[in-house]
Amino acid sequence: MPENDDATPALTREALTQAALRVLERDGLDGLSMRKVAAEVGVKAASLYWHVRNKQELLDLLSDALLASAEPPPRQDDWRSELHEYCSRYRRLLLDNRDAAKVVAGRLAPGPCLLNLMEDQLDRLRSAGFSDADTAMASYLLGAFVQGFVLQEQSPISAAEVLGTSRREIADAAGDVFRGLPTETYPNLVALADHLTGPDMDARFEFGLHRILDGLAALLPPERR
C-alpha cells in the first residue's frame, strides 16, 4: 500500500471522478490513464489505488458520473412519447461528452445516477402494461440501441474524416461511387444510392427508434398501444 502522506485526505472518490471526467474530455478515452488523472489532482498515481483498484474501476465511476446531468422526460401518460424522449436525451448526452458512448457501452456499473434513471424508466414501462420480462428486455434494448448508434456517430466514417473531410462530403462521394457502378452487377446500389447516402444521422436515429417502438407496441394489448 502507498504511504499515508501520499494518500492526501483531499483526494476523494468524487474528486477523482471529476478529474477523470476532465481528462476524458481533454484527451479522450485512449488518452485516459491513471497517471494523467493523478496529475490532474496533483498526487502520485499510487494514491489513486486507495480509491480504485485499476482503470476498469475508474471507468465504472466515470460511467455513472456521465449520467449525473441526465434528466428523465416529463410524464405524459404516453409511454411511446416518453421513451422516445428518453432515448433522444440519452443520445444528446452521449454526443455532448467526448467518448462517452465508449465508456458506457456494455458497462453495468449501478451507481446512484444509473439506479435512479433505471428505476424511473422501468416504472414507466411497467405502468404502460409491459410484462416484467418485457420491461427488463425493453430497457436493455433501448439503452443498447442508443449506445450503439452513438458509437457509430463518434467513430470516424473513414480515413478521410480524420484528415478533415466532413461526413456529408464523404457520404456524397460514396453516393457518386454507387451511382457510377455498373447496373448489371450492382442494380440495387445504383438504384438506392440517394437513399443510402442522403439521410443524415438524425433521420437514421429517428427511423431506428420508431421501428423499435413499433416492435415494443406489438407486445401490448391493442388498447394500450
Side-chain angles (χ1 to χ4, degrees):
M1 297 295 288
E3 296 296 328
N4 288 337
D5 60 359
D6 193 31
T8 171
L11 180 58
T12 64
R13 283 170 71 91
E14 175 61 21
L16 170 61
T17 303
Q18 292 304 311
L21 285 171
R22 293 192 296 272
V23 174
L24 179 68
E25 186 62 31
R26 185 180 67 234
D27 300 331
L29 184 58
D30 290 342
L32 179 69
S33 68
M34 301 291 274
R35 178 184 57 80
K36 286 185 178 181
V37 174
E40 187 74 16
V41 290
V43 300
K44 297 178 181 178
S47 296
L48 303 188
Y49 295 99
W50 286 92
H51 304 279
V52 292
R53 287 178 293 183
N54 50 45
K55 184 178 177 179
Q56 290 303 313
E57 284 196 359
L58 179 62
L59 292 177
D60 284 350
L61 294 177
L62 273 179
S63 180
D64 196 63
L66 285 165
L67 300 176
S69 63
E71 295 185 4
R75 297 269 180 167
Q76 305 177 45
D77 196 28
D78 179 350
W79 69 267
R80 186 177 180 122
S81 295
E82 291 177 23
L83 292 180
H84 181 279
E85 183 64 16
Y86 240 118
C87 292
S88 297
R89 290 185 180 203
Y90 189 28
R91 177 191 175 213
R92 179 49 50 195
L93 183 149
L94 294 179
L95 286 173
D96 286 346
N97 292 273
R98 183 176 179 181
D99 285 347
K102 293 181 181 179
V103 174
V104 303
R107 186 173 294 273
L108 180 60
C113 299
L114 177 61
L115 291 174
N116 289 336
L117 290 169
M118 287 183 66
E119 178 64 24
D120 180 79
Q121 188 180 84
L122 294 172
D123 181 64
R124 295 180 196 231
L125 285 161
R126 295 181 80 193
S127 298
F130 290 97
S131 70
D132 287 355
D134 288 343
T135 290
M137 285 292 196
S139 180
Y140 178 87
L141 172 63
L142 292 169
F145 168 70
V146 176
Q147 292 167 8
F149 193 90
V150 176
L151 280 173
Q152 296 265 3
E153 292 187 275
Q154 290 186 331
S155 300
I157 193 171
S158 75
E161 184 178 1
V162 178
L163 297 174
T165 306
S166 72
R167 284 182 169 236
R168 182 69 268 158
E169 291 172 318
I170 295 169
D172 289 344
D176 291 340
V177 171
F178 295 159
R179 282 185 288 273
L181 293 170
T183 54
E184 63 274 13
T185 307
Y186 303 103
N188 295 297
L189 282 169
V190 174
L192 302 181
D194 291 342
H195 296 292
L196 289 168
T197 62
D200 61 18
M201 295 306 284
D202 289 341
R204 296 178 189 280
F205 181 80
E206 288 295 319
F207 179 87
L209 180 54
H210 280 292
R211 300 297 76 76
I212 290 174
L213 296 175
D214 289 343
L216 292 178
L219 298 173
L220 296 171
E223 66 273 12
R224 306 201 70 169
R225 295 176 186 173

